[in-house]
Amino acid sequence: MKSLTERRDQGQSWLEAGKGAPLVLVHGIGGSAATWLPVMDALARHHHVYAWNFPGYGGAAPLPGDAPPATDYARALLAFLDQRGISAAHVVGHSLGAVVVAALAQAAAARVSRLSLICPVIGAGHLPADAREQMRLARRDEILAGGMGAFAQARTASIIGPQASQEDVAGIIETMAGIAQPAYLQAWEMLCAAQIVPLLDPALAPALVVGGDVDPVAPPQAVTQVAQALSVTPHILPSVGHFPTHEATEELVALICQHD
Protein backbone atom coordinates (compact mmCIF):
# COMPACT_ATOMS: atom_id res chain seq x y z
CA MET A 1 0.00 0.00 0.00
CA LYS A 2 2.56 2.52 -1.22
CA SER A 3 0.33 5.58 -1.13
CA LEU A 4 -0.88 5.08 2.46
CA THR A 5 0.13 7.82 4.86
CA GLU A 6 -0.61 8.32 8.54
CA ARG A 7 -1.28 11.96 9.27
CA ARG A 8 -1.92 14.30 12.21
CA ASP A 9 -2.80 17.97 11.90
CA GLN A 10 -4.71 20.52 13.96
CA GLY A 11 -5.71 17.94 16.56
CA GLN A 12 -6.97 15.48 13.93
CA SER A 13 -5.55 12.03 13.13
CA TRP A 14 -6.22 9.91 10.06
CA LEU A 15 -4.92 7.52 7.41
CA GLU A 16 -4.98 8.66 3.78
CA ALA A 17 -4.52 6.93 0.45
CA GLY A 18 -5.47 7.14 -3.21
CA LYS A 19 -6.85 9.75 -5.57
CA GLY A 20 -10.30 10.57 -6.84
CA ALA A 21 -13.63 11.33 -5.23
CA PRO A 22 -13.35 11.60 -1.43
CA LEU A 23 -14.39 8.61 0.65
CA VAL A 24 -14.37 9.17 4.42
CA LEU A 25 -14.27 6.09 6.68
CA VAL A 26 -15.28 6.30 10.35
CA HIS A 27 -14.51 3.41 12.72
CA GLY A 28 -16.42 2.18 15.76
CA ILE A 29 -15.77 2.24 19.48
CA GLY A 30 -13.51 -0.83 19.45
CA GLY A 31 -11.55 0.18 16.39
CA SER A 32 -9.53 3.01 14.96
CA ALA A 33 -8.50 4.19 11.51
CA ALA A 34 -6.52 0.92 11.38
CA THR A 35 -9.82 -1.01 11.28
CA TRP A 36 -10.05 -0.02 7.61
CA LEU A 37 -6.57 -1.22 6.59
CA PRO A 38 -7.79 -4.49 5.03
CA VAL A 39 -9.99 -2.56 2.58
CA MET A 40 -8.07 0.67 2.07
CA ASP A 41 -5.87 -0.49 -0.78
CA ALA A 42 -8.84 -1.69 -2.84
CA LEU A 43 -10.91 1.41 -2.06
CA ALA A 44 -7.96 3.70 -2.85
CA ARG A 45 -7.88 2.41 -6.42
CA HIS A 46 -11.05 4.40 -7.04
CA HIS A 47 -11.19 7.05 -4.30
CA HIS A 48 -9.21 9.50 -2.23
CA VAL A 49 -9.69 7.64 1.04
CA TYR A 50 -9.56 9.25 4.48
CA ALA A 51 -9.83 6.89 7.47
CA TRP A 52 -10.57 9.27 10.34
CA ASN A 53 -9.83 8.64 14.01
CA PHE A 54 -12.37 9.50 16.69
CA PRO A 55 -11.27 12.28 19.05
CA GLY A 56 -8.79 10.78 21.51
CA TYR A 57 -8.03 7.84 19.19
CA GLY A 58 -4.80 7.45 17.24
CA GLY A 59 -3.25 10.53 18.80
CA ALA A 60 -6.15 12.85 17.95
CA ALA A 61 -7.09 15.52 20.47
CA PRO A 62 -9.80 14.29 22.87
CA LEU A 63 -13.12 16.01 23.33
CA PRO A 64 -13.70 17.95 26.56
CA GLY A 65 -15.87 16.42 29.27
CA ASP A 66 -16.55 12.87 30.38
CA ALA A 67 -19.62 12.19 28.24
CA PRO A 68 -19.65 14.16 24.97
CA PRO A 69 -22.70 13.35 22.82
CA ALA A 70 -22.68 12.02 19.27
CA THR A 71 -23.22 15.54 17.97
CA ASP A 72 -19.82 16.56 19.39
CA TYR A 73 -18.14 13.72 17.49
CA ALA A 74 -20.03 14.78 14.36
CA ARG A 75 -18.81 18.36 14.80
CA ALA A 76 -15.23 17.08 15.09
CA LEU A 77 -15.73 15.12 11.86
CA LEU A 78 -17.18 18.20 10.16
CA ALA A 79 -14.14 20.19 11.30
CA PHE A 80 -11.96 17.53 9.69
CA LEU A 81 -13.84 17.88 6.39
CA ASP A 82 -13.36 21.64 6.58
CA GLN A 83 -9.64 21.33 7.33
CA ARG A 84 -9.07 18.96 4.41
CA GLY A 85 -11.16 21.07 2.02
CA ILE A 86 -13.70 18.28 1.45
CA SER A 87 -16.91 19.96 0.35
CA ALA A 88 -18.89 16.69 0.11
CA ALA A 89 -17.99 13.02 0.43
CA HIS A 90 -19.30 9.50 0.52
CA VAL A 91 -19.13 8.88 4.28
CA VAL A 92 -18.94 5.36 5.71
CA GLY A 93 -19.53 4.56 9.38
CA HIS A 94 -18.84 1.23 11.08
CA SER A 95 -20.57 0.26 14.34
CA LEU A 96 -20.66 3.35 16.60
CA GLY A 97 -19.16 5.28 13.70
CA ALA A 98 -22.53 4.83 12.01
CA VAL A 99 -24.10 6.97 14.74
CA VAL A 100 -21.47 9.65 14.20
CA VAL A 101 -21.92 9.81 10.43
CA ALA A 102 -25.71 9.76 10.81
CA ALA A 103 -25.39 12.76 13.12
CA LEU A 104 -23.14 14.44 10.55
CA ALA A 105 -25.69 13.87 7.78
CA GLN A 106 -28.45 15.35 9.92
CA ALA A 107 -26.37 18.40 10.89
CA ALA A 108 -24.73 19.04 7.50
CA ALA A 109 -26.53 17.06 4.79
CA ALA A 110 -24.84 18.96 1.95
CA ARG A 111 -21.49 17.53 3.06
CA VAL A 112 -22.64 13.89 2.72
CA SER A 113 -23.11 12.83 -0.90
CA ARG A 114 -23.57 9.15 0.01
CA LEU A 115 -24.07 7.45 3.38
CA SER A 116 -22.96 3.89 4.12
CA LEU A 117 -23.65 2.28 7.50
CA ILE A 118 -21.71 -0.91 8.22
CA CYS A 119 -22.89 -3.04 11.16
CA PRO A 120 -24.58 0.03 12.65
CA VAL A 121 -25.30 0.01 16.37
CA ILE A 122 -28.62 1.52 17.35
CA GLY A 123 -27.30 2.86 20.66
CA ALA A 124 -28.56 2.27 24.19
CA GLY A 125 -30.43 5.55 24.60
CA HIS A 126 -33.76 3.78 24.06
CA LEU A 127 -33.26 1.43 27.02
CA PRO A 128 -34.85 2.04 30.44
CA ALA A 129 -32.59 4.20 32.58
CA ASP A 130 -31.77 1.46 35.09
CA ALA A 131 -30.83 -1.07 32.41
CA ARG A 132 -28.73 1.51 30.59
CA GLU A 133 -26.90 2.46 33.79
CA GLN A 134 -26.21 -1.17 34.66
CA MET A 135 -24.75 -1.73 31.20
CA ARG A 136 -22.72 1.47 31.34
CA LEU A 137 -21.15 0.69 34.70
CA ALA A 138 -20.41 -2.96 33.87
CA ARG A 139 -18.30 -2.08 30.81
CA ARG A 140 -16.68 0.90 32.55
CA ASP A 141 -15.72 -1.15 35.61
CA GLU A 142 -14.37 -4.01 33.46
CA ILE A 143 -12.04 -1.66 31.61
CA LEU A 144 -10.94 0.27 34.68
CA ALA A 145 -10.15 -2.99 36.48
CA GLY A 146 -8.39 -4.91 33.72
CA GLY A 147 -7.29 -2.38 31.11
CA MET A 148 -7.82 -2.29 27.36
CA GLY A 149 -5.54 -5.25 26.61
CA ALA A 150 -7.49 -7.73 28.70
CA PHE A 151 -10.78 -6.27 27.47
CA ALA A 152 -9.72 -6.64 23.83
CA GLN A 153 -8.70 -10.27 24.35
CA ALA A 154 -12.02 -11.13 26.00
CA ARG A 155 -14.23 -9.09 23.68
CA THR A 156 -12.96 -9.92 20.22
CA ALA A 157 -13.71 -13.63 20.13
CA SER A 158 -17.34 -12.99 21.06
CA ILE A 159 -18.11 -10.55 18.23
CA ILE A 160 -16.47 -12.05 15.13
CA GLY A 161 -17.78 -14.72 12.80
CA PRO A 162 -16.32 -18.10 11.82
CA GLN A 163 -14.66 -16.76 8.65
CA ALA A 164 -12.15 -14.60 10.54
CA SER A 165 -8.58 -15.90 10.34
CA GLN A 166 -6.20 -15.95 13.28
CA GLU A 167 -4.38 -13.06 11.63
CA ASP A 168 -7.63 -11.11 11.46
CA VAL A 169 -8.37 -11.83 15.12
CA ALA A 170 -4.87 -10.74 16.14
CA GLY A 171 -5.23 -7.49 14.17
CA ILE A 172 -8.59 -6.65 15.73
CA ILE A 173 -7.24 -7.36 19.22
CA GLU A 174 -4.14 -5.25 18.61
CA THR A 175 -6.20 -2.30 17.39
CA MET A 176 -8.67 -2.51 20.26
CA ALA A 177 -5.97 -2.95 22.88
CA GLY A 178 -4.17 0.14 21.56
CA ILE A 179 -7.10 2.50 22.14
CA ALA A 180 -6.40 5.06 24.87
CA GLN A 181 -8.59 4.09 27.81
CA PRO A 182 -10.00 7.59 28.45
CA ALA A 183 -10.98 7.92 24.78
CA TYR A 184 -12.71 4.53 24.78
CA LEU A 185 -14.64 5.42 27.93
CA GLN A 186 -15.72 8.74 26.38
CA ALA A 187 -17.02 6.89 23.34
CA TRP A 188 -18.71 4.32 25.60
CA GLU A 189 -20.63 7.11 27.32
CA MET A 190 -21.68 8.34 23.88
CA LEU A 191 -22.88 4.88 22.87
CA CYS A 192 -24.86 4.46 26.09
CA ALA A 193 -26.75 7.72 25.43
CA ALA A 194 -27.05 7.42 21.64
CA GLN A 195 -30.05 6.55 19.49
CA ILE A 196 -29.37 6.21 15.79
CA VAL A 197 -32.92 5.85 14.46
CA PRO A 198 -34.02 9.44 15.25
CA LEU A 199 -30.97 10.66 13.30
CA LEU A 200 -31.95 8.81 10.11
CA ASP A 201 -33.78 10.46 7.23
CA PRO A 202 -33.91 8.91 3.75
CA ALA A 203 -34.16 12.38 2.21
CA LEU A 204 -30.69 13.43 3.42
CA ALA A 205 -28.50 11.17 1.25
CA PRO A 206 -28.66 7.90 -0.69
CA ALA A 207 -27.97 5.19 1.86
CA LEU A 208 -26.38 1.75 2.03
CA VAL A 209 -26.83 -0.50 5.08
CA VAL A 210 -24.70 -3.63 5.61
CA GLY A 211 -24.71 -6.15 8.44
CA GLY A 212 -23.47 -9.62 9.33
CA ASP A 213 -25.84 -12.46 10.08
CA VAL A 214 -23.85 -13.62 13.14
CA ASP A 215 -23.05 -10.17 14.51
CA PRO A 216 -24.17 -9.94 18.17
CA VAL A 217 -23.32 -6.22 18.41
CA ALA A 218 -25.45 -5.13 15.45
CA PRO A 219 -27.71 -8.16 14.94
CA PRO A 220 -29.70 -8.52 11.72
CA GLN A 221 -32.94 -7.31 13.30
CA ALA A 222 -31.26 -4.08 14.43
CA VAL A 223 -29.59 -3.59 11.04
CA THR A 224 -32.97 -4.13 9.39
CA GLN A 225 -34.51 -1.50 11.68
CA VAL A 226 -31.85 0.99 10.56
CA ALA A 227 -32.41 0.11 6.90
CA GLN A 228 -36.17 0.52 7.24
CA ALA A 229 -35.68 3.99 8.72
CA LEU A 230 -33.68 4.85 5.58
CA SER A 231 -36.17 3.16 3.21
CA VAL A 232 -33.56 0.74 1.86
CA THR A 233 -33.06 -3.03 1.89
CA PRO A 234 -30.16 -4.14 4.08
CA HIS A 235 -27.33 -6.33 2.81
CA ILE A 236 -26.84 -9.07 5.42
CA LEU A 237 -23.57 -10.92 4.81
CA PRO A 238 -23.64 -14.66 5.61
CA SER A 239 -21.38 -16.06 8.37
CA VAL A 240 -20.03 -12.55 9.12
CA GLY A 241 -19.74 -10.98 12.55
CA HIS A 242 -18.99 -7.41 13.58
CA PHE A 243 -15.86 -6.80 11.47
CA PRO A 244 -16.65 -7.27 7.75
CA THR A 245 -13.54 -5.19 7.01
CA HIS A 246 -11.64 -8.34 8.03
CA GLU A 247 -14.26 -11.06 7.56
CA ALA A 248 -15.76 -10.13 4.18
CA THR A 249 -13.25 -7.76 2.64
CA GLU A 250 -14.09 -8.24 -1.05
CA GLU A 251 -17.85 -8.16 -0.49
CA LEU A 252 -17.62 -4.98 1.57
CA VAL A 253 -15.42 -3.19 -0.97
CA ALA A 254 -17.80 -4.15 -3.76
CA LEU A 255 -20.85 -2.86 -1.89
CA ILE A 256 -19.21 0.45 -1.00
CA CYS A 257 -17.95 1.03 -4.54
CA GLN A 258 -21.30 0.07 -6.06
CA HIS A 259 -22.96 2.66 -3.85
CA ASP A 260 -21.00 5.55 -5.43
Side-chain angles (χ1 to χ4, degrees):
M1 207 179 298
K2 295 180 180 179
S3 64
L4 179 70
T5 57
E6 181 177 357
R7 303 187 64 182
R8 293 192 181 97
D9 186 34
Q10 301 180 64
Q12 303 276 5
S13 169
W14 71 99
L15 299 175
E16 186 173 344
K19 295 180 179 180
L23 180 68
V24 177
L25 310 175
V26 181
H27 63 82
I29 186 172
S32 72
T35 296
W36 302 101
L37 285 173
V39 297
M40 278 196 72
D41 193 31
L43 292 173
R45 294 172 193 158
H46 310 284
H47 305 85
H48 192 156
V49 182
Y50 303 84
W52 180 73
N53 276 307
F54 273 8
Y57 285 60
L63 292 171
D66 293 329
T71 50
D72 284 4
Y73 286 78
R75 277 194 285 269
L77 178 54
L78 181 59
F80 173 74
L81 299 181
D82 289 342
Q83 289 170 12
R84 306 324 306 162
I86 302 170
S87 59
H90 180 172
V91 183
V92 183
H94 171 247
S95 190
L96 186 57
V99 177
V100 174
V101 302
L104 172 69
Q106 188 179 79
R111 310 299 292 275
V112 180
S113 60
R114 293 284 190 278
L115 182 67
S116 292
L117 307 181
I118 314 302
C119 300
V121 297
I122 61 173
H126 68 288
L127 295 176
D130 57 345
R132 187 168 65 248
E133 183 66 0
Q134 183 178 11
M135 182 187 79
R136 185 186 74 83
L137 291 175
R139 176 72 59 86
R140 175 182 174 274
D141 291 348
E142 178 183 3
I143 289 171
L144 290 176
M148 288 301 300
F151 173 74
Q153 287 282 350
R155 178 72 171 159
T156 299
S158 68
I159 61 176
I160 58 173
Q163 297 181 156
S165 68
Q166 289 303 308
E167 183 180 359
D168 292 327
V169 173
I172 294 167
I173 291 172
E174 181 180 8
T175 298
M176 195 180 301
I179 300 168
Q181 183 172 294
Y184 184 97
L185 292 175
Q186 269 195 332
W188 176 242
E189 296 288 342
M190 187 256 282
L191 188 156
C192 289
Q195 296 188 65
I196 194 173
V197 173
L199 299 171
L200 302 174
D201 182 344
L204 296 178
L208 168 73
V209 179
V210 179
D213 72 347
V214 292
D215 182 358
V217 181
Q221 60 268 31
V223 173
T224 298
Q225 182 183 0
V226 169
Q228 289 173 341
L230 290 166
S231 300
V232 299
T233 301
H235 296 265
I236 306 297
L237 302 173
S239 300
V240 171
H242 197 56
F243 283 90
T245 48
H246 292 74
E247 301 176 60
T249 302
E250 293 182 3
E251 296 93 329
L252 184 61
V253 168
L255 286 168
I256 291 172
C257 289
Q258 289 164 11
H259 187 52
D260 281 339

